[in-house]
Amino acid sequence: MKTVSLTPTEQEICELLLNVVETIHAKQPEQPKLVLRIAGGWVRDKLLGLESHDIDIAIDNMSGFDLAQHVNQYLSEHGYPVSTIAKINQNPERSKHLETATTSVLGLLVDFVNLRSETYNSDSRIPQIEFGTPADDALRRDITINALFYNIHSRQVEDFTGRGLADLRDGIVRTPLEPFKTFTDDPLRVLRVLRFASRFNYAIDEETAEAIMRPEIKCDLDAKISRERVGVELEKMAAGPHPLLSIQLILRFGLYASIFRTPPRDEWVSVEDEISEPKDVALAEALTRNVLELVSGSNRDGSASLLRSMPQQCLDVGGGETAMRRSLMLAAFLYPYHDLLVRDKKKTVPVAYVVVRDGIKLSHLDSESTVGLHQYAAPLASTANDCVAGTLSRKTLGLQIRSIGSRWPQSVLFAAALELLDTQGATALAAVTDKYKAYVNRVVAEDLAEAYAMKHIVDGKTAAKILGIKPGPALKGVLDRVMDWQLDHPQGTRDECEAFIKDTIGADMR
């Protein structure tokens, strides 16, 4: 196990905090001298040789806000830049069980919070908080590898659970205390166990795994945890280094329905007098695997993956690789619900839309993106086949890009991932990749990567004047034909389009 190696800035922050402690003690000699520790993720990441910019200072006998004020006073008196202190009040629904103070120290954000112990009642994950010892604070944390401290006085790592360092070395995720009680107190810890196990590709301790499988824990997960918190943990899993392992763990522990919670079944829309059932949830795992293969650096045969073959222009249109990967993961995770409908107020919408909006409390754009990737996959696959066959017109291609919108690059990747569900092996992967590469290349060659943003070369007001009609519903059909003409005549001029409106559309309307 590596020792903690501080950056020059971290070293300076530790020295500065020690000076603050001495200054406070000189002013209040009757009070015990403060002991400060860096807690949690920073210690874990440092021991793993990873960069960490998340510094949490745990204080033994002073509030975080009070210490932050002392720090700012010291910074001011010694000529350092001083930043405003953000006081983050207790908010258990956001997993902020105790008041925290945050400020910038030498350019790094530092959180200050006192050591604490927590006591839970049976019907809430909101604990009763008291000042605690380092051991109390370590034992109330979610997993042992997150319960380590770095004592800035002794410059030693402290492991008050007795297992954190060994678990970090052996790649094990376990709770500091008995797992069933830990999860009963705060079921959110179940999702955090899954997230850190997938993030670091660690094994989950057997006793911890058994506790996660208990039906009481699944009930508590539904009853005690806000959907916003579920969404936060899921987003971090989807954006992490091993999203495939994340969905595998969700499926292994039977948590799919608890995490991706659907509306009540009596709100689902029946098809031919029968309520459709979700597809096999294992599809989420298979589709996630396919997506990751298509966005990796290269295929198994060494050729560039579909994502890597896309010109930068296409990646920019899609919002960049990070945004594209995030939306693809959500769509893959939710695919078992892709063809189900639900009544939502006065509308009928896909179940996946409501799951994203209400079940995991993500944004409207996330709901739209997830449903869009599901819905456009089949028509895009058909168009890709026409592209390979040489029967695809520029107009048809452009209209599809306009229909899908700026997320068309993600839609290409998702359609390819779906197609791979029915094929296996490196040869099939290469064939599917080549087909959708041809589609992307055709889009670029026809200058249609941003066709969704194309303006009509002749606007509605001018078209109505040419035709001698008043603006109204009929004008939409006229403008649709104008766009068809533009896509068929990429070099066409405004005058030529006006002539088309007058001679062709006008003749059809007479």
Side-chain angles (χ1 to χ4, degrees), residues 247 251 256 279-289 336 421:
I247 195 66
L251 296 174
Y256 188 88
K279 296 293 188 292
D280 184 355
V281 293
L283 276 174
E285 176 185 347
L287 196 49
T288 299
R289 179 182 287 106
L421 289 176

Side-chain angles (χ1 to χ4, degrees), residues 92-95 97 119-127 180-189 191 216-230 258 261:
E93 289 305 316
R94 298 285 182 182
S95 283
H97 296 309
T119 304
Y120 291 82
N121 59 41
S122 61
D123 59 356
S124 172
R125 63 177 287 261
I126 301 174
F180 181 73
K181 177 67 165 58
T182 298
F183 298 146
T184 301
D185 286 344
D186 185 356
L188 182 67
R189 291 167 176 160
L191 302 186
E216 304 98 308
I217 298 302
K218 294 178 184 178
C219 290
D220 285 343
L221 191 60
D222 282 334
K224 292 184 180 182
I225 306 302
S226 73
R227 303 316 296 177
E228 288 87 352
R229 289 303 306 167
V230 173
S258 296
R261 190 161 71 189

Side-chain angles (χ1 to χ4, degrees), residues 17-263:
L17 291 174
L18 290 176
N19 290 338
V20 172
V21 169
E22 293 299 331
T23 301
I24 294 171
H25 188 62
K27 294 177 180 178
Q28 303 172 4
E30 73 283 359
Q31 297 294 327
K33 185 181 290 189
L34 291 177
V35 177
L36 306 183
R37 298 171 171 87
I38 304 179
W42 181 92
V43 186
R44 176 202 65 224
D45 289 348
K46 283 290 181 178
L47 290 170
L48 291 172
L50 304 174
E51 286 189 19
S52 182
H53 304 292
D54 183 18
I55 300 179
D56 296 338
I57 302 297
I59 313 150
D60 63 344
N61 61 8
M62 179 180 286
S63 77
F65 185 71
D66 287 345
L67 180 60
Q69 288 181 306
H70 283 291
V71 169
N72 267 7
Q73 182 178 349
Y74 182 91
L75 291 171
S76 177
E77 291 173 352
H78 290 79
Y80 292 99
V82 178
S83 299
T84 302
I85 299 170
K87 188 176 182 180
I88 304 170
N89 293 322
Q90 181 180 359
N91 185 351
E93 289 305 316
R94 298 285 182 182
S95 283
K96 295 293 182 183
H97 296 309
L98 199 65
E99 175 186 285
T100 304
T102 301
T103 191
S104 177
V105 180
L106 305 183
L108 291 182
L109 282 179
V110 180
D111 288 350
F112 298 91
V113 65
N114 59 271
L115 296 168
R116 60 199 187 270
S117 64
E118 298 176 347
T119 304
Y120 291 82
N121 59 41
S122 61
D123 59 356
S124 172
R125 63 177 287 261
I126 301 174
Q128 298 295 317
I129 303 293
E130 296 179 355
F131 274 75
T133 65
D136 291 332
D137 197 275
L139 293 172
R140 59 99 194 161
R141 292 177 180 262
D142 49 10
I143 55 177
T144 57
I145 63 173
N146 291 344
L148 299 168
F149 292 104
Y150 177 74
N151 188 312
I152 70 170
H153 305 266
S154 67
R155 303 300 173 96
Q156 297 294 314
V157 174
E158 298 172 332
D159 181 7
F160 290 99
T161 72
R163 288 180 165 180
L165 287 171
D167 286 345
L168 199 62
R169 179 195 65 217
D170 298 336
I172 294 174
V173 173
R174 81 172 86 232
T175 58
L177 297 175
E178 193 274 318
F180 181 73
K181 177 67 165 58
T182 298
F183 298 146
T184 301
D185 286 344
D186 185 356
L188 182 67
R189 291 167 176 160
V190 170
L191 302 186
R192 290 177 62 82
V193 164
L194 269 55
R195 173 159 69 86
F196 284 105
S198 63
R199 175 179 172 182
F200 294 112
N201 197 18
Y202 281 4
I204 297 175
D205 161 69
E206 183 177 347
E207 186 181 5
T208 302
E210 290 174 355
I212 294 174
M213 295 290 288
R214 296 272 293 269
E216 304 98 308
I217 298 302
K218 294 178 184 178
C219 290
D220 285 343
L221 191 60
D222 282 334
K224 292 184 180 182
I225 306 302
S226 73
R227 303 316 296 177
E228 288 87 352
R229 289 303 306 167
V230 173
V232 167
E233 292 300 322
L234 181 71
E235 271 208 286
K236 291 179 178 178
M237 289 188 226
H242 302 109
L244 177 58
L245 181 54
S246 295
I247 195 66
Q248 287 172 334
L249 290 172
I250 289 170
L251 296 174
R252 169 189 166 189
F253 291 110
L255 296 174
Y256 188 88
S258 296
I259 292 173
F260 302 104
R261 190 161 71 189
T262 62

